[in-house]
């Protein structure tokens, strides 16, 4: 038995929300939380941190035996390498087609739907989002920080990716099509790939849904499209109750 396997590990998720009894506002923080929880990692600690203190200026990151590891995917891969958990997809014995489908749904969620959510939060509903997440910062400073460090960089990003070059009607049509595609693969009970246990794609979808359902007022267009498919709420609810019984379900 290796040294890594013979001693207990200390794992801490560093995210926006410190309270372990609450889900986080960020999709990738919830994704990492789900990856660890679905994998049965015990004794996970939660720490609320500022994104300014995060490596790469992104959350989440993790402390694994006091070693800082950025990015939800890198954290998960590190936990696998250390033998702290076994890959969910390997446990479910996914075949190559199912692995490929996982990557397709991952791209749908993280490269499209999350982008619409972030755009609504930090560009279209910038002031409301600032007041929700940065209420402890004095108003004048909050406005300056929000403009120079959040709104302007995001506005430039979404122009570069092409999102803000769409007309509002084109954005609405594209968002609707993407949500409809997600709903097609998401069941009201059980798991997305129909296995006996959850896989990585369940963590990806759960992370996104959690972020929207927790703060629907910050991305009302995305929330409205999701609400057209009640089985998405049922899917989220059954996972919440099963894997986080100590937390109050948000839907």
């Amino acid at each position: 038995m290796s040294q890594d396997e013979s001693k207990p590990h200390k794992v801490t998720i560093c995210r926006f929300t410190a309270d372990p009894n609450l889900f986080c506002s960020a999709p990738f923080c919830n994704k990492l939380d789900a990856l660890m929880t679905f994998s049965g990692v015990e004794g996970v600690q939660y720490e609320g941190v500022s994104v300014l203190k995060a490596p790469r200026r992104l959350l989440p990151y993790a402390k694994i035996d006091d070693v800082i590891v950025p990015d939800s995917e890198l954290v998960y891969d590190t936990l696998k390498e250390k033998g702290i958990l076994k890959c969910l997809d390997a446990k479910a014995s996914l075949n190559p087609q199912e692995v490929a489908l996982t990557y397709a749904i991952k791209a749908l969620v993280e490269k499209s739907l999350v982008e619409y959510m972030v755009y609504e939060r930090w560009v279209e509903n910038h002031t409301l989002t600032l007041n929700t997440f940065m209420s402890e910062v004095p108003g004048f400073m909050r406005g300056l920080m929000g403009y120079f460090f959040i709104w302007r960089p995001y506005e430039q990003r979404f122009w570069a990716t092409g999102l803000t070059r769409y007309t509002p009607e084109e954005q609405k049509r594209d968002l609707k099509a993407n949500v409809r595609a997600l709903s097609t693969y998401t069941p009201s009970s059980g798991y997305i790939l129909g296995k006996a246990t959850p896989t990585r794609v369940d963590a990806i979808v759960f992370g996104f849904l959690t972020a929207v359902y927790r703060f629907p007022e910050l991305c009302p267009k995305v929330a409205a499209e999701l609400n057209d498919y009640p089985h998405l709420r049922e899917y989220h609810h059954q996972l919440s109750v099963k894997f986080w019984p100590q937390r109050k379900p948000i839907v």
Side-chain angles (χ1 to χ4, degrees), residues 1-227:
M1 181 178 291
S2 70
Q3 183 180 8
D4 276 346
E5 294 172 329
S6 62
K7 66 179 183 180
H9 294 271
K10 181 180 179 182
V11 180
T12 302
I13 297 176
C14 298
R15 58 181 194 164
F16 292 100
T17 306
D19 190 340
N21 293 315
L22 293 175
F23 290 108
C24 192
S25 59
F28 295 104
C29 294
N30 294 316
K31 170 187 170 182
L32 179 58
D33 191 6
L35 285 169
M36 290 193 190
T37 302
F38 293 166
S39 299
V41 180
E42 298 181 351
V44 175
Q45 302 295 309
Y46 298 86
E47 183 178 334
V49 298
S50 167
V51 70
L52 297 177
K53 296 181 180 179
R56 305 184 184 181
R57 297 295 187 266
L58 293 170
L59 292 177
Y61 66 91
K63 296 177 184 176
I64 305 173
D65 300 328
D66 297 322
V67 176
I68 293 177
V69 182
D71 187 83
S72 58
E73 293 284 346
L74 292 178
V75 170
Y76 193 63
D77 288 342
T78 301
L79 293 171
K80 288 190 298 180
E81 292 166 3
K82 288 182 170 289
I84 299 174
L85 56 78
K86 182 178 179 181
C87 178
L88 289 168
D89 292 354
K91 288 169 64 176
S93 301
L94 298 192
N95 62 41
Q97 290 76 21
E98 290 167 331
V99 172
L101 180 57
T102 294
Y103 278 100
I105 297 175
K106 180 177 186 290
L108 170 68
V109 172
E110 297 182 354
K111 302 300 182 182
S112 182
L113 290 173
V114 167
E115 292 292 280
Y116 274 110
M117 184 203 76
V118 172
Y119 173 68
E120 273 203 86
R121 282 184 176 185
W122 292 110
V123 177
E124 291 193 332
N125 300 304
H126 175 72
T127 301
L128 178 59
T129 304
L130 270 184
N131 293 340
T132 300
F133 295 140
M134 299 177 64
S135 59
E136 73 284 355
V137 179
F140 177 71
M141 287 301 299
R142 188 189 316 153
L144 286 178
M145 291 173 62
Y147 176 77
F148 286 106
F149 296 108
I150 301 175
W151 186 89
R152 190 167 69 171
Y154 272 129
E155 178 69 17
Q156 293 171 343
R157 165 181 161 180
F158 290 123
W159 174 258
T161 62
L163 179 58
T164 54
R165 305 187 198 206
Y166 288 170
T167 66
E169 183 56 37
E170 289 167 342
Q171 289 180 2
K172 180 179 180 180
R173 209 163 44 235
D174 186 57
L175 173 60
K176 184 180 291 290
N178 279 276
V179 173
R180 183 169 60 247
L182 178 65
S183 74
T184 300
Y185 283 104
T186 307
S188 58
S189 62
Y191 308 114
I192 289 175
L193 295 181
K195 302 297 183 178
T197 57
T199 61
R200 292 174 77 133
V201 72
D202 290 289
I204 292 165
V205 173
F206 183 86
F208 164 68
L209 292 177
T210 303
V212 177
Y213 287 148
R214 186 164 181 215
F215 290 98
E217 69 277 11
L218 303 183
C219 50
K221 296 175 185 175
V222 175
E225 293 297 336
L226 293 181
N227 287 339

